[in-house]
Amino acid sequence: MATALVTGPTAGIGLAFVRALAARGHDVVLVSRDEARLQSVAAEVRGAYGVGAEVLPADLATDTEVVEQRLRATERPVDLLVNNAGFALRGKFLSTETADEEYLLDVLVRAVLRLTHAALPGMVERGRGAVINVSSVAGWVPRSTYSAAKAWVTTFSLGLVPQLRGTGVQVMALAPGFVRTEFHDRAQQDMSSLPSWMWLDADAVVAAALKDLRLGKAVSVPGTVYKLAAAALPRLPRRLVLGLGQRHPAGRRR
């Protein structure tokens, strides 16, 4: 029975990953700051799927070491790492605090780098394993530190693909568009103007990601609309893409 470690597993895409992987028989290691919510999710998957669920409380901005140690462990090794933890800041760059911007980068970039670096050597040695780094279509639309961080996640993941060729280990960037989760509510962003056809379901996003991982894809973009967007955006004039970023609905505060 394989073991998967998922960061940010208490809601949204992370919780959908936990449920989907547990349903497939994976034991899970759950990483988040909120121990109470971790315990709740762990109890749910143990009861519903009969798998092991390990709770690992950690703030990924300040304390990745405990997670890195778990990823390097040879007993009950982690075969799948899902770097999903993330959040967005409300307001534009000039109105945010530098400390908040740095905290975001620590979670979205630094933690992804460190956890991936901790996981891959053992996977390569065992000749099997995978890392899914949750990015975003936002990475194709320059707009904010969040977009820049997600662009980094996609590029970072793609850069590892040729290095791992022939090892039996995969790295894939998952780049969804707008997903119905608590993500925007927590950032206090007003998304009421976004049409329903632009929203994705978290379970469907995860199902598409796991399918694309099995197919050996380097980047997974769930949803026809976002597949078209990801293909078109790099080919559009830069001025037009910048304009799209400025009209992004997440720029409106509640």
Side-chain angles (χ1 to χ4, degrees):
M1 188 176 292
T3 298
L5 187 148
V6 182
T7 68
T10 60
I13 294 173
L15 180 57
F17 262 115
V18 170
R19 288 170 174 164
L21 293 168
R24 289 163 171 77
H26 286 67
D27 290 335
V28 291
V29 182
L30 311 175
V31 180
S32 171
R33 291 183 301 173
D34 193 330
E35 185 170 2
R37 293 184 76 179
L38 287 179
Q39 294 291 359
S40 177
V41 174
E44 175 194 330
V45 296
R46 289 183 194 119
Y49 306 106
V51 299
E54 181 181 343
V55 167
L56 198 58
D59 185 336
L60 293 177
T62 59
D63 183 24
T64 59
E65 286 81 2
V66 64
V67 189
E68 292 174 64
Q69 290 173 9
R70 181 63 185 86
L71 288 166
R72 294 190 181 105
T74 55
E75 183 180 350
R76 295 180 294 113
V78 171
D79 301 292
L80 173 61
L81 166 63
V82 181
N83 279 313
N84 165 76
F87 64 97
L89 298 175
R90 61 180 180 179
K92 295 183 179 181
F93 182 76
L94 294 181
S95 65
T96 58
E97 297 293 332
T98 303
D100 293 335
E101 297 283 354
E102 289 183 321
Y103 191 91
L104 183 142
L105 287 176
D106 284 339
V107 175
L108 270 62
V109 173
R110 179 179 172 274
V112 171
L113 183 152
R114 292 189 67 93
L115 300 191
T116 302
H117 197 274
L120 285 178
M123 292 180 180
V124 170
E125 185 176 344
R126 294 187 294 273
R128 67 180 188 278
V131 177
I132 298 176
N133 291 324
V134 179
S135 184
S136 173
V137 171
W140 279 275
V141 184
R143 182 181 169 271
S144 63
T145 308
Y146 179 86
S147 295
K150 291 305 186 181
W152 181 91
V153 170
T154 300
T155 302
F156 169 68
S157 302
L158 285 170
L160 292 172
V161 171
Q163 298 183 46
L164 294 169
R165 194 166 290 130
T167 65
V169 180
Q170 295 174 254
V171 172
M172 184 184 80
L174 168 59
F178 295 105
V179 185
R180 292 193 184 278
T181 69
E182 62 181 40
F183 179 87
H184 297 100
D185 288 338
R186 292 179 65 182
Q188 297 184 6
Q189 294 172 344
D190 181 5
M191 305 299 295
S192 59
S193 66
L194 193 71
S196 59
W197 55 266
M198 292 189 70
W199 287 106
L200 300 174
D201 174 75
D203 292 328
V205 167
V206 168
L210 294 176
K211 178 181 178 181
D212 287 344
L213 186 68
R214 291 194 300 272
L215 293 174
K217 292 188 177 182
V219 179
S220 173
V221 182
T224 302
V225 170
Y226 294 108
K227 282 181 170 63
L228 293 172
L233 285 168
R235 295 171 172 80
L236 292 175
R238 183 173 298 173
R239 182 177 297 179
L240 177 57
V241 176
L242 290 172
L244 291 172
Q246 293 305 307
R247 293 193 295 272
H248 195 289
R252 288 187 290 274
R253 296 176 59 177
R254 288 185 172 177

